[in-house]
């Protein structure tokens, strides 16, 4: 199969590569760019584990081809917080409220929560539950996840007012 | 209610310590199986049978082998002979078992049965080639359906002339029949539970690397128990155990599905040895739902005798399980365990049982979080059936039967010995927390308005940390390194259980060092001492117990050396925050790190006869079981127009002994409850009558989401166990108790309509059908 040259900016680093047009964006990120923080748990667009930010929008990287991301700017879990720097409020909330156990669904939840909170900075619990209902977790029963997002909103508000 | 005895110096055990695992998992730096990359690594995929039962007439590999990038394709006849033994064999007297091979050979026995392995330079190419493997099948009659299998004219397996895999019953007991005869009421009901799948978010996977020079097989596994895997691969590959190394790093959930290594994983290891190259296999979700192990798929008929007050006089339980084609555990296990645990939290003397398991042409049954939990499903729904029938409140009937503190020690009719349990206390605690009386008033008001609210109770005793055979012991090496930092080496297999945090809490308390100075190394058979891994709610009890034992032993040596250096008696010393001080003389102290350095680098300063270094290894053999107890209570509203069940409130009263980390305990409970909610309301791996699986995507196999799991509240009762540290297991209880609580809540809500709920899942279509049936009855 003929390959196509693409260039994608991921976490502020430029990745160029030749990919088959059929290669999914998720596989490109994981295999070609060796950013394995993005996880694949269903590969049919239901579980949300592979969610990334593409030009700021939360998308499922298993449902896109890498060639569709040519020229785009992506953020994956690895790129949310600066290396060695402080965690984001969402990551902090997940840590404080036991929002993860095995950690496999976590990349998708954390990325989705970032996108959600950007659009809903002061959400109700009901809005959080609806906003994150497209991501599946099998470990936590979502208890810590919902609270983590509430906490992240709180930290963000504190940061803004501080 | 017992209070907790905490060691006076405890600072970490009992505290909501944040997890050591989290920073790497929250920043995308976990190391899951698909993140393993080795030089020269190849990729495997499987050709699977689309039919449940068929003869393999011919396999044509020509077109598949011609795909550029394909390295090898083997079918069963080409590869199976590389295995030194059958993969597993649970055959015994009266319990036939099929020969388990890596790949199907001659015939296929369930839809998804692996027929050939394709090895290629990447997964895309491997899947291209797998599509081109041409298998000709001659369809045979498939055996499908738990209740149809025994009488089926088909046979699930060639060479086994029955579909009954196991059948047994307790001896005829005249006293049991006399007890039934003397009962004021005898009520019989059958309860059914559908087929579930564990669904860890990370599917199965493996990287096998046969290293020719070292003649060593290194396996990167997505597992729960690396040491048992090592024994497995050594046996099946015909290798000495010390030429096999198993490494598990981060594992994306297991819930029982990853206890046992499976046929595909074995084929990958055999392929790696043939090729002398690393081979990776990562299954996709459809394969996981279709061909990884399944669970539940069982029914239980209870015959219960009670006196006029609802006090149980006798129970007979009869269990039927569908164990699929190639169960991962002995065919007797689901039934035998359920029947044996059934007496649960209630006092009664007369008990009889019968169990049967059948083979079918479906994916094999394995362990899933509380694999015996049908006993709680049947018993707890039955308690409500009886209560309704004789006109006693469901909370009250449990009060009249539950084991009280003054009954202890208590031996069940199946010989289980309870001592340090508190089922009456957790029952009352949960009822109080949910506001039982207040809810009844609210329910009455709602009914008057035509709304259907219900409350369900589920009470149970959970045998945790079952300790026998390969899971009987756990070991811990606690090693203070020359700088004073501490490595703890254990044979645990944490896959979401937070052991990197909880084991460290235990050790840091005993050594008196900052928690940051202690690290757990697990999951590598070349690093850790033998351990049984993480399953059966065993880690807190057995691993936590031995971490404590080993740390105490090492603490004694630290104090002996420090006492020698400070010219004080060891008994007069205390360790706090990395400093050893003579009690009452703050000026007389030495840093923990200095003691460590001297232990390694300055042997002349050691007391006479003391071995240099600071390291301790202990092994702990736990009691056969350590009992936790719990009551779950939930409320729901059922929309009788749409059939939707909405959970309103959820309370778990739990006694898991001394909690190492309440945050982790609650996380374990919540995860189990969510799985129980899935099983009660949503999840169903259905087959059609030909054995075709109907739910192999997440659009069909429905997992609970944030909108299905309500806020869960907890009430903790802490009755210490008699194991070191006083812990009890808590990994499975949430999943054991939830389905019965939910079914009871729905049945309570719909009781005015005369609906009797005896099966799951309570999906909207099935709820509406039950309402229609009751109305037309």
């Amino acid at each position: 199969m003929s390959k196509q040259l693409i260039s994608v900016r991921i976490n502020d680093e430029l990745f160029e590569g030749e990919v088959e047009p059929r290669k999914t964006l998720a596989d490109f990120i994981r295999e070609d760019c060796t950013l394995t923080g993005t996880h694949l748990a269903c590969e049919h667009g239901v579980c949300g584990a592979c969610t990334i930010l593409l030009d700021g929008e939360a998308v499922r990287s298993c449902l896109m081809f890498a060639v569709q991301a040519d020229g785009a700017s992506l953020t994956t879990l690895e790129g949310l917080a600066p290396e060695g720097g402080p965690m984001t409020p969402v990551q902090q909330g997940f840590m404080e409220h036991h929002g993860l156990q095995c950690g496999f669904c976590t990349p998708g939840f954390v990325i989705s929560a970032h996108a959600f909170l950007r659009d809903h900075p002061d959400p109700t619990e009901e809005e959080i539950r609806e906003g994150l209902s497209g991501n599946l977790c099998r470990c936590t029963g979502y208890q810590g996840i919902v609270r983590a997002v509430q906490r992240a909103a709180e930290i963000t508000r504190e940061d803004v007012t501080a | 209610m017992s209070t907790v005895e905490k060691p006076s110096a405890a600072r970490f055990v009992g505290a909501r310590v944040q997890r050591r695992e989290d920073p790497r998992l929250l920043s995308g730096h976990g190391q899951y199986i698909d993140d393993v990359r080795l030089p020269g690594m190849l990729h495997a995929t499987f050709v699977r049978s689309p039919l449940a039962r068929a003869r393999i007439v011919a396999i044509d590999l020509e077109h598949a082998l011609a795909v550029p990038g394909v390295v090898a394709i083997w079918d069963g006849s080409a590869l199976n002979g590389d295995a030194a033994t059958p993969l597993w064999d649970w055959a015994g007297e009266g319990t036939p078992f099929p020969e388990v091979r890596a790949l199907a050979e001659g015939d296929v026995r369930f839809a998804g049965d692996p027929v050939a392995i394709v090895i290629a330079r990447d997964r895309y190419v491997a899947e291209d080639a797998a599509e081109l493997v041409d298998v000709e099948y001659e369809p045979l009659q498939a055996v499908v359906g738990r209740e149809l299998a025994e009488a089926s004219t088909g046979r699930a397996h060639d060479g086994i002339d029955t579909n009954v895999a196991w059948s047994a019953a307790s001896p005829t007991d005249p006293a049991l029949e006399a007890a039934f005869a003397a009962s004021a009421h005898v009520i019989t009901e059958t309860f059914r539970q559908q087929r579930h799948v564990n669904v860890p978010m990370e599917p199965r996977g493996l990287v096998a690397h046969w290293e020719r020079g070292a003649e060593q097989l290194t396996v990167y596994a997505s597992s729960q128990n690396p040491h048992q895997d090592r024994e497995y691969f050594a046996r099946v590959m015909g290798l000495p155990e010390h030429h096999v190394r198993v490494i598990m790093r981060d594992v994306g959930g297991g819930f029982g599905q990853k206890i046992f290594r499976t046929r595909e994983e074995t084929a990958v290891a055999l392929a790696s040895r043939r090729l002398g190259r690393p081979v990776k296999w990562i299954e996709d979700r459809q394969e996981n739902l279709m061909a990884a192990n399944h669970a539940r798929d069982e029914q239980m008929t209870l015959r219960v005798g009670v006196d006029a007050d609802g006090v149980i006089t006798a129970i007979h339980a009869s269990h039927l399980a569908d164990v699929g084609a190639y169960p991962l555990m002995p065919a007797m296990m689901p039934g035998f365990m359920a029947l044996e645990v059934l007496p649960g939290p209630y006092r009664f003397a007369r008990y009889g049982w019968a169990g049967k398991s059948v083979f079918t042409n479906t994916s094999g049954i394995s362990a899933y979080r509380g694999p015996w939990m049908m006993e709680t499903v049947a018993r707890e729904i039955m308690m409500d059936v009886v209560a309704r029938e004789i006109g006693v409140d469901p909370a009250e009937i449990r009060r009249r039967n539950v084991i009280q503190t003054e009954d202890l020690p208590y031996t069940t009719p199946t010989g289980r010995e309870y001592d340090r349990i508190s089922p009456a206390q957790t029952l009352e605690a949960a009822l109080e927390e949910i506001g039982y009386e207040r809810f009844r008033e609210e329910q009455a008001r709602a009914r008057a308005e035509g709304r259907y609210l219900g409350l369900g109770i589920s009470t149970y005793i959970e045998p945790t940390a079952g300790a026998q055979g390969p899971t009987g012991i756990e070991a811990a090496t606690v090693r203070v390194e020359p700088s004073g930092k501490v490595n703890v080496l254990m044979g645990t297999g944490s896959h979401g259980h937070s052991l990197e945090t909880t084991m460290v809490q235990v050790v840091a308390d005993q050594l008196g060092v900052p928690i940051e100075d202690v690290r757990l190394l697990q999951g590598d058979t070349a690093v850790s001492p033998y351990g049984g891994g993480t399953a059966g709610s065993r880690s807190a009890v057995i691993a936590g117990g031995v971490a404590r034992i080993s740390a105490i032993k090492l603490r004694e040596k630290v104090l002996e050396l420090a006492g020698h250096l400070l010219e004080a008696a060891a008994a007069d010393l205390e360790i706090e925050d990395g400093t050893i001080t003579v009690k009452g003389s703050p000026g007389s102290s030495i840093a923990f790190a200095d003691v460590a350095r001297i232990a390694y680098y300055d042997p002349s300063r050691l007391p006479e006869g003391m071995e240099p270094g600071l390291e301790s290894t202990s092994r702990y053999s736990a009691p056969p079981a350590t009992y936790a107890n719990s009551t779950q209570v939930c409320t729901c509203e059922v929309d009788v127009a749409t059939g939707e069940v909405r959970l309103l409130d959820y309370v778990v009263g739990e006694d898991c002994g001394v909690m190492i980390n309440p945050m982790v305990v609650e996380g374990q409970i919540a995860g189990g409850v969510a799985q129980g909610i899935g099983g009660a309301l949503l999840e169903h791996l259905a087959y059609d009558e030909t054995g075709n699986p109907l739910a192999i995507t997440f659009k069909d196999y429905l997992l609970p989401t944030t909108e299905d799991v309500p806020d869960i509240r907890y009430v903790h009762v802490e009755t210490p166990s008699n194991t070191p540290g006083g812990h009890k297991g808590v990994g499975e209880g949430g999943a054991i108790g939830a389905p019965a609580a939910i079914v009871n809540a729905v049945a309570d809500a719909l009781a005015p309509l005369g609906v009797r709920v005896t099966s799951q899942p309570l999906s909207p279509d099935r709820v509406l059908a039950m309402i229609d049936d009751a109305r037309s009855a």
Side-chain angles (χ1 to χ4, degrees):
Chain A
M1 200 173 286
S2 66
K3 292 191 174 181
Q4 208 168 313
L5 183 69
I6 61 169
S7 88
V8 182
R9 186 165 286 281
I10 309 180
N11 306 331
D12 286 329
E13 190 181 338
L14 192 66
F15 289 87
E16 290 186 326
E18 286 198 336
V19 294
E20 289 183 2
R22 65 170 174 173
K23 185 156 208 164
T24 67
L25 180 56
D27 284 345
F28 175 74
I29 292 168
R30 290 183 46 81
E31 294 170 5
D32 299 53
C33 308
T34 64
L35 290 166
T36 54
T38 298
H39 293 163
L40 288 164
C42 80
E43 296 177 277
H44 54 267
V46 180
C47 78
C50 67
T51 304
I52 59 161
L53 297 178
L54 182 136
D55 294 330
E57 294 301 315
V59 300
R60 296 183 180 211
S61 59
C62 78
L63 290 186
M64 284 184 69
F65 294 115
V67 293
Q68 292 175 285
D70 187 19
S73 179
L74 315 184
T75 304
T76 67
L77 185 60
E78 291 96 328
L80 286 179
E83 192 72 39
M87 290 180 167
T88 66
V90 172
Q91 290 166 320
Q92 188 65 36
F94 270 72
M95 176 122 178
E96 287 177 19
H97 288 280
H98 198 21
L100 65 156
Q101 290 181 24
C102 83
F104 202 75
C105 71
T106 307
F109 268 102
V110 170
I111 294 278
S112 298
H114 269 268
F116 171 78
L117 284 172
R118 186 194 53 208
D119 300 338
H120 305 82
D122 190 12
T124 62
E125 178 178 335
E126 205 180 330
E127 286 169 338
I128 293 171
R129 287 182 176 276
E130 193 190 338
L132 294 182
S133 63
N135 289 66
L136 297 175
C137 169
R138 193 61 158 166
C139 290
T140 64
Y142 306 105
Q143 305 294 300
I145 292 174
V146 171
R147 277 194 285 279
V149 177
Q150 288 171 324
R151 174 69 182 134
E154 190 182 290
I155 295 171
T156 307
R157 284 196 301 272
E158 284 166 4
D159 285 352
V160 169
T161 53
Chain B
M1 201 177 298
S2 305
T3 52
V4 191
E5 288 173 51
K6 287 202 177 103
S8 57
R11 293 159 303 153
F12 302 121
V13 169
R16 293 175 183 265
V17 173
Q18 290 186 9
R19 298 205 322 163
R20 306 292 293 277
E21 294 88 341
D22 287 355
R24 73 166 183 274
L25 301 180
L26 280 167
S27 60
H29 297 113
Q31 270 281 304
Y32 298 88
I33 191 67
D34 197 20
D35 304 339
V36 175
R37 274 188 165 199
L38 301 177
M41 188 170 76
L42 299 170
H43 298 262
T45 194
F46 289 90
V47 177
R48 296 181 182 278
S49 169
L51 301 173
R53 188 88 175 94
R55 196 77 52 216
I56 298 173
V57 178
I59 301 178
D60 182 352
L61 303 179
E62 190 189 338
H63 296 290
L65 283 168
V67 174
V70 169
V71 175
I73 306 176
W74 293 302
D75 65 12
S77 65
L79 189 70
N80 288 341
D82 285 13
T85 68
L87 274 46
W88 60 91
D89 184 3
W90 303 115
E93 204 181 317
T95 54
F97 205 80
E99 186 176 341
V100 184
R101 308 180 184 99
L103 301 172
E105 203 173 330
D107 65 339
V108 291
R109 302 184 186 179
F110 68 97
D113 205 342
V115 172
I117 184 171
V118 179
I119 317 276
R121 66 158 192 258
D122 74 31
R123 184 169 154 188
Y124 285 75
V125 173
E127 291 189 9
D128 285 345
E131 288 282 310
L132 296 173
V133 171
D134 188 10
V135 186
E136 187 185 335
Y137 296 100
E138 176 195 332
L140 300 171
Q141 183 189 350
V143 177
V144 183
R146 180 176 70 228
E147 294 178 78
L148 304 173
E150 184 175 9
S152 171
T153 54
R155 289 290 171 267
H157 294 287
D158 282 6
I160 301 177
D161 195 29
T162 173
N163 295 324
V164 176
W166 169 73
S167 179
S170 57
T172 306
D173 179 6
L176 175 70
E177 290 311 316
F180 278 122
S183 300
H185 309 271
V186 177
I187 298 164
T188 301
E189 186 64 86
T190 297
F191 306 94
R192 291 177 173 81
Q193 183 155 250
Q194 79 283 15
R195 184 172 285 232
H196 296 48
V197 192
N198 310 45
V199 194
M201 291 313 294
E202 177 194 46
R204 289 180 299 165
L206 185 88
V207 178
H209 185 197
W210 175 251
E211 297 168 73
R212 281 189 168 134
E215 295 189 332
Q216 171 173 297
L217 178 74
T218 299
V219 173
Y220 297 82
S222 181
S223 168
Q224 303 183 203
N225 29 240
H227 285 89
Q228 290 183 61
D229 294 347
R230 180 180 65 177
E231 189 276 338
Y232 172 83
F233 284 111
R235 175 176 60 78
V236 170
M237 308 276 291
L239 297 167
E241 197 174 5
H242 61 307
H243 281 234
V244 179
R245 177 182 180 186
V246 176
I247 300 167
M248 57 170 279
R249 291 179 177 157
D250 291 309
V251 172
F255 316 112
Q257 190 175 71
K258 293 177 181 170
I259 292 175
F260 305 99
R261 301 285 60 79
T262 53
R263 295 166 64 206
E264 292 93 334
E265 290 161 298
T266 312
V268 171
L270 294 172
S272 172
R273 182 165 63 179
R274 274 202 175 186
L275 296 166
R277 290 176 68 174
V279 180
K280 175 191 273 190
W281 170 63
I282 305 294
E283 77 176 345
D284 66 27
R285 183 55 62 187
Q286 292 191 28
E287 291 178 285
N288 182 263
L289 288 168
M290 176 169 57
N293 331 320
H294 293 172
R296 316 285 195 237
D297 199 339
E298 57 197 327
Q299 64 190 63
M300 191 180 255
T301 300
L302 289 188
R303 184 176 164 216
V304 175
V306 294
D307 70 12
D309 297 323
V311 174
I312 301 167
T313 52
I315 295 182
H316 187 276
S318 131
H319 185 270
L320 175 64
D322 178 347
V323 295
Y326 297 106
L328 275 288
M329 51 188 188
M332 70 183 291
M333 289 303 275
F336 186 78
M337 286 190 293
L339 292 161
E340 214 255 315
V341 177
L342 183 120
Y346 303 126
R347 282 172 308 220
F348 62 95
R350 297 294 163 204
Y351 180 57
W353 57 267
K356 188 178 288 179
S357 297
V358 291
F359 291 124
T360 59
N361 294 118
T362 59
S363 186
I365 292 296
S366 184
Y368 177 35
R369 210 166 195 172
W372 59 87
M373 54 77 78
M374 188 66 211
E375 47 82 38
T376 291
V377 171
R379 184 192 61 242
E380 291 305 307
I381 303 175
M382 189 62 160
M383 290 301 279
D384 276 32
V385 169
V386 172
R388 212 168 286 125
E389 198 120 324
I390 67 172
V392 176
D393 177 88
E396 183 55 28
I397 197 170
R398 287 176 171 83
R399 288 189 180 111
R400 290 177 191 176
N401 286 287
V402 73
I403 295 164
Q404 304 288 334
T405 305
E406 54 268 28
D407 297 323
L408 300 172
Y410 178 87
T411 303
T412 71
T414 54
R416 288 190 173 264
E417 292 171 14
Y418 301 151
D419 186 359
R420 302 179 181 206
I421 59 168
S422 60
Q425 288 88 334
T426 46
L427 170 64
E428 295 303 337
L431 291 171
E432 188 187 332
E433 180 66 23
I434 203 139
Y436 187 76
E437 302 303 333
R438 195 183 58 237
F439 175 82
R440 289 297 182 207
E441 293 162 17
E442 184 188 341
Q443 181 183 38
R445 282 195 302 274
R447 276 182 186 167
E449 297 163 9
R451 289 170 55 216
Y452 294 86
L453 305 191
L455 178 146
I457 309 169
S458 172
T459 295
Y460 54 97
I461 289 184
E462 180 190 356
T464 74
Q468 50 277 132
T471 57
I473 66 156
E474 205 60 56
T477 295
V478 181
R479 183 191 295 151
V480 179
E481 305 294 356
S483 66
K485 304 299 182 195
V486 184
N487 276 314
V488 182
L489 283 52
M490 301 190 71
T492 47
S494 182
H495 45 291
H497 302 81
S498 317
L499 298 185
E500 289 172 56
T501 306
T502 52
M503 294 302 114
V504 163
Q505 287 178 257
V506 169
V507 170
D509 267 356
Q510 294 305 329
L511 292 182
V513 295
I515 198 164
E516 300 76 26
D517 286 1
V518 188
R519 186 172 178 222
L520 176 70
L521 301 174
Q522 61 176 348
D524 184 343
T525 60
V527 172
S528 314
Y530 179 89
T534 296
S537 303
R538 64 192 297 280
S539 294
V541 176
I542 315 183
V546 75
R548 180 186 171 91
I549 292 169
S550 189
I552 288 173
K553 203 160 93 182
L554 191 56
R555 174 192 175 93
E556 285 166 6
K557 183 172 178 182
V558 169
L559 292 178
E560 189 188 340
L561 174 52
H564 181 72
L565 296 168
L566 293 170
E567 296 177 345
D572 294 335
L573 302 178
E574 59 190 4
I575 320 181
E576 190 84 51
D577 207 23
T579 302
I580 301 154
T581 312
V582 181
K583 285 177 204 161
S585 309
S588 187
S589 70
I590 184 168
F592 189 90
D594 289 336
V595 174
R597 187 178 44 78
I598 290 165
Y600 282 95
Y601 298 161
D602 209 349
S604 66
R605 295 177 67 187
L606 305 187
E608 202 176 322
M610 180 179 277
E611 190 180 293
L614 283 178
E615 179 171 324
S616 140
T617 296
S618 296
R619 289 185 170 76
Y620 170 54
S621 167
T626 299
Y627 294 97
N629 54 267
S630 177
T631 288
Q632 298 190 20
V633 189
C634 67
T635 61
C636 75
E637 176 160 6
V638 181
D639 183 330
V640 298
T642 65
E644 186 198 14
V645 175
R646 198 159 57 87
L647 295 174
L648 304 173
D649 195 6
Y650 213 110
V651 170
V652 180
E654 167 82 35
D655 184 347
C656 63
V658 175
M659 293 186 284
I660 299 174
N661 186 330
M663 179 185 85
V664 171
V665 165
E666 291 170 4
Q668 288 293 310
I669 295 170
V673 167
Q675 288 175 330
I677 290 171
L681 299 180
L682 301 164
E683 300 177 32
H684 187 189
L685 198 294
Y687 282 93
D688 71 14
E689 67 278 8
T690 67
N692 188 41
L694 302 177
I696 58 169
T697 75
F698 279 159
K699 286 287 188 195
D700 317 291
Y701 193 89
L702 301 180
L703 298 185
T705 72
T706 43
E707 299 201 281
D708 300 305
V709 185
D711 202 31
I712 301 168
R713 291 181 285 135
Y714 314 90
V715 193
H716 298 294
V717 176
E718 289 192 76
T719 309
S721 70
N722 60 357
T723 63
H727 318 304
K728 302 171 183 176
V730 73
E732 293 161 287
I736 291 168
I742 295 161
V743 168
N744 282 340
V746 173
D748 183 47
L750 299 179
L753 303 176
V755 173
R756 205 171 205 186
V757 187
T758 57
S759 66
Q760 313 156 29
L762 300 174
S763 48
D765 57 320
R766 289 167 48 90
V767 169
L768 288 179
M770 281 187 268
I771 293 169
D772 284 348
D773 287 351
R775 281 181 173 150
S776 58

